[in-house]
C-alpha cells in the first residue's frame, strides 16, 4: 500500500481499519482530532456537573445525572477509538495536561444559572449533533462507528435541554428572562464550536481530502443555525443577533460576524474558565491514581491465575 492506493480506497468510500496501512500524517491527524473530541466530552462534564446538586427537582436531577454519565461514556468510546491508532490513554491525558491537546472552546464558559443547563443541552448538544452526524461518515472505521452510538444519545441530550428552555420560557417573567439570558450568553460560543471560518481553517484541506471531515466548518455552522432559529421562535426566545435574516435566494439564514478575537483567545487558553477546567481535571486525575493502580493490580492477578 502507498499514498496513491490509500487515496483510492478513501475515494471509493472504503473505511480504514486499525490494522490497515495508513499515511503517518493521516494517523496523526486522527489522533489529534479524536483525542480532542474525547477530551471535550470529559471536560464537558464539568459545567454540567456544577448543577447536579442544585437541580430544581428529582426528575431534573436524574436526567442531568444520566446525561453527564453519558458524556463520560462518549469520552471512553473516543479514547478507545484513538488508542487503536497506537497511542496510550496515559499519553493522551498527558497531552491534555501539558496543553498540547485542545478541547472544545465552549466548555471554557461558566454555567451561571439553571437555565444554562437548558442552553447547553439545546445549543451545545445541538451543535455537537450536527457535527457528529456528519462524522458518522468519517473514513476511519472505529471513529465512524463510535459516532453512530454517540449521536443516538446526543439527541436525547438536545431534547433534555430544549425542554428546560421551553418550560422556563413559558414560566414566570423572571424564568423567561433567565432563559433568554442563557441564550444570549451561549449563542455565540455555540456557533464558534464549529471552528474558524473555512478561509482560516488550516486542517480542513487534508481532513476533506481524507474524508475525515465530510463537511467544512462553515457548512456545518450554517446547517446548525438554519435548524435552530425556528426552535427559538417556537418557544418565544430571541436569538441575540440583529443581523440574523432569512435569505430567500440561498434558502438559509444570513447571520452576523463572530468575535474571532474572543474565539482565538479561548482556544489559546485565555477564556473565562480554561485554567479552572484543566486544574480540576488534573486534581481528579491525581486523586484517581489509586483506582487505576488497583485496576492494574487486579488485571495482573487475573493474568497470573489464568496462567
Ligand atoms: N475549540 O483547522 P481547524 C461535546 C482548533 S461537543 C477548540 O478548523 P479542524 C459535548 C483546532 O483544533 C465538542 N479548538 O481544525 C457536547 C485547530 O487547532 P490544532 C466536541 C478549536 O480539526 C455536549 C485550530 O483551531 N466535538 O463533546 O479541521 C456536552 C484550527 O481549526 C475549535 C468535536 O471535537 C474549538 N471550537 O476543525 C458534552 C468534534 N475549533 O488542533 C460534550 C470533532 C477549532 O491544529 N472535531 N479549533 O492545534 C471536529 O469536528 C474538528 O476538529 C473541529 C475543528 C470542527 C472542532
Amino acid at each position: 500500500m502507498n499514498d496513491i492506493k490509500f487515496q483510492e480506497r478513501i475515494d471509493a468510500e472504503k473505511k480504514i481499519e486499525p490494522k490497515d496501512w495508513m499515511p503517518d500524517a493521516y494517523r496523526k491527524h486522527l489522533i489529534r482530532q479524536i483525542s480532542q473530541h474525547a477530551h471535550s466530552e470529559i471536560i464537558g462534564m464539568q459545567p454540567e456537573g456544577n448543577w447536579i446538586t442544585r437541580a430544581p427537582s428529582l426528575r431534573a436531577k436524574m436526567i442531568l445525572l444520566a446525561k453527564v454519565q453519558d458524556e463520560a461514556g462518549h469520552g471512553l468510546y473516543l479514547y478507545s477509538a484513538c488508542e487503536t491508532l497506537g497511542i496510550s490513554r496515559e499519553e493522551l491525558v498527558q497531552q491534555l495536561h501539558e496543553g498540547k491537546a485542545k478541547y472544545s472552546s465552549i466548555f471554557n464558559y461558566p454555567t451561571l444559572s439553571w437555565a444554562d443547563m437548558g442552553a447547553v443541552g439545546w445549543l451545545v448538544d445541538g451543535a455537537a449533533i450536527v457535527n457528529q452526524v456528519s462524522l458518522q461518515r468519517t473514513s476511519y472505521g472505529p471513529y465512524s462507528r463510535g459516532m453512530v452510538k454517540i449521536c443516538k444519545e446526543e439527541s436525547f441530550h438536545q431534547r433534555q435541554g430544549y425542554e428546560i428552555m421551553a418550560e422556563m420560557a413559558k414560566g414566570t417573567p423572571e424564568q423567561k428572562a433567565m432563559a433568554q439570558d442563557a441564550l444570549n450568553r451561549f449563542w455565540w460560543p455555540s456557533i464558534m464550536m464549529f471552528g474558524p471560518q473555512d478561509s482560516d481553517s488550516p486542517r480542513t484541506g487534508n481532513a476533506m481530502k481524507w474524508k475525515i471531515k465530510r463537511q467544512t466548518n462553515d457548512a456545518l455552522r450554517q446547517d446548525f443555525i438554519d435548524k435552530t432559529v425556528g426552535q427559538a421562535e417556537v418557544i418565544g426566545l430571541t436569538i441575540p443577533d440583529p443581523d440574523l435574516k432569512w435569505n430567500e435566494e440561498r434558502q438559509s439564514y444570513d447571520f452576523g460576524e463572530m468575535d474571532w478575537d474572543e474565539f482565538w483567545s479561548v482556544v489559546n487558553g485565555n477564556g473565562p474558565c480554561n485554567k479552572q477546567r484543566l486544574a480540576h481535571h488534573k486534581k481528579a486525575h491525581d486523586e484517581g491514581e489509586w483506582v487505576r493502580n488497583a485496576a492494574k493490580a487486579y488485571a495482573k492477578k487475573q493474568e497470573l491465575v489464568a496462567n
Side-chain angles (χ1 to χ4, degrees):
M1 185 75 102
N2 57 25
D3 283 293
I4 296 169
K5 288 248 171 334
F6 176 80
Q7 193 59 45
E8 281 170 6
R9 277 198 73 174
I10 297 275
D11 294 341
E13 297 287 337
K14 296 221 171 85
K15 292 275 182 254
I16 307 300
E17 296 298 337
K19 290 192 174 144
D20 293 341
W21 184 88
M22 60 186 85
D24 205 38
Y26 175 84
R27 184 186 298 278
K28 285 200 177 117
H29 192 115
L30 277 172
I31 290 177
R32 178 194 62 88
Q33 177 167 329
I34 303 175
S35 70
Q36 294 187 174
H37 198 161
H39 299 323
S40 303
E41 299 282 356
I42 300 298
I43 298 277
M45 295 165 73
Q46 292 186 37
E48 294 187 296
N50 185 33
W51 280 91
I52 291 172
T53 53
R54 289 177 284 166
S57 68
L58 183 58
R59 177 180 180 272
K61 191 185 185 105
M62 280 162 47
I63 294 173
L64 184 61
L65 199 59
K67 177 184 191 291
V68 175
Q69 283 176 341
D70 284 350
E71 311 299 0
H74 298 174
L76 296 186
Y77 307 149
L78 286 162
Y79 283 129
S80 298
C82 203
E83 284 175 286
T84 65
L85 290 156
I87 186 162
S88 70
R89 183 87 57 95
E90 286 76 13
E91 287 170 280
L92 295 171
V93 172
Q94 195 179 343
Q95 287 176 359
L96 172 70
H97 288 174
E98 288 171 355
K100 290 185 188 145
K102 298 186 165 77
Y103 58 87
S104 182
S105 49
I106 189 71
F107 302 117
N108 293 307
Y109 290 85
T111 44
L112 304 176
S113 78
W114 174 250
D116 289 9
M117 293 303 95
V120 169
W122 174 35
L123 303 174
V124 176
D125 286 270
I129 294 172
V130 168
N131 176 285
Q132 292 172 165
V133 164
S134 181
L135 286 172
Q136 288 178 346
R137 290 174 51 243
T138 193
S139 56
Y140 188 55
Y143 193 23
S144 161
R145 291 187 288 275
M147 283 298 113
V148 174
K149 191 155 177 2
I150 289 176
C151 282
K152 289 198 176 121
E153 294 176 349
E154 296 287 25
S155 52
F156 150 69
H157 296 173
Q158 196 265 356
R159 278 174 226 171
Q160 167 266 356
Y162 191 59
E163 183 191 76
I164 293 174
M165 289 304 253
E167 286 296 316
M168 292 190 78
K170 66 175 190 227
T172 63
E174 288 82 3
Q175 286 171 323
K176 182 165 185 186
M178 276 171 78
Q180 182 62 52
D181 175 59
L183 171 56
N184 293 349
R185 284 181 289 105
F186 274 93
W187 175 253
W188 293 100
S190 297
I191 63 173
M192 286 175 189
M193 282 173 70
F194 295 96
Q197 286 171 303
D198 295 349
S199 52
D200 289 325
S201 165
R203 304 286 191 182
T204 292
N206 277 341
M208 297 294 284
K209 179 178 90 176
W210 289 324
K211 300 189 194 288
I212 291 174
K213 266 160 76 163
R214 306 304 305 240
Q215 285 165 284
T216 68
N217 300 356
D218 285 335
L220 291 169
R221 184 170 15 246
Q222 182 74 61
D223 186 15
F224 170 72
I225 292 172
D226 290 346
K227 282 194 169 80
T228 310
V229 174
Q231 295 170 5
E233 281 168 8
V234 167
I235 57 175
L237 296 180
T238 309
I239 305 269
D241 177 358
D243 296 321
L244 192 70
K245 199 164 170 279
W246 179 249
N247 183 322
E248 195 56 42
E249 205 176 312
R250 290 198 307 115
Q251 289 290 301
S252 244
Y253 281 93
D254 291 335
F255 55 94
E257 184 67 23
M258 279 164 280
D259 183 344
W260 292 112
D261 290 342
E262 175 183 321
F263 171 76
W264 289 114
S265 160
V266 177
V267 168
N268 291 322
N270 301 313
C273 299
N274 294 58
K275 292 181 182 63
Q276 176 189 334
R277 300 287 186 242
L278 260 192
H280 187 79
H281 191 281
K282 282 182 193 153
K283 183 169 176 279
H285 190 70
D286 289 346
E287 287 173 3
E289 195 180 356
W290 71 270
V291 181
R292 291 189 296 280
N293 288 341
K296 271 190 211 144
Y298 181 74
K300 194 156 183 95
K301 188 176 159 220
Q302 294 299 96
E303 207 179 290
L304 287 174
V305 172
N307 296 327

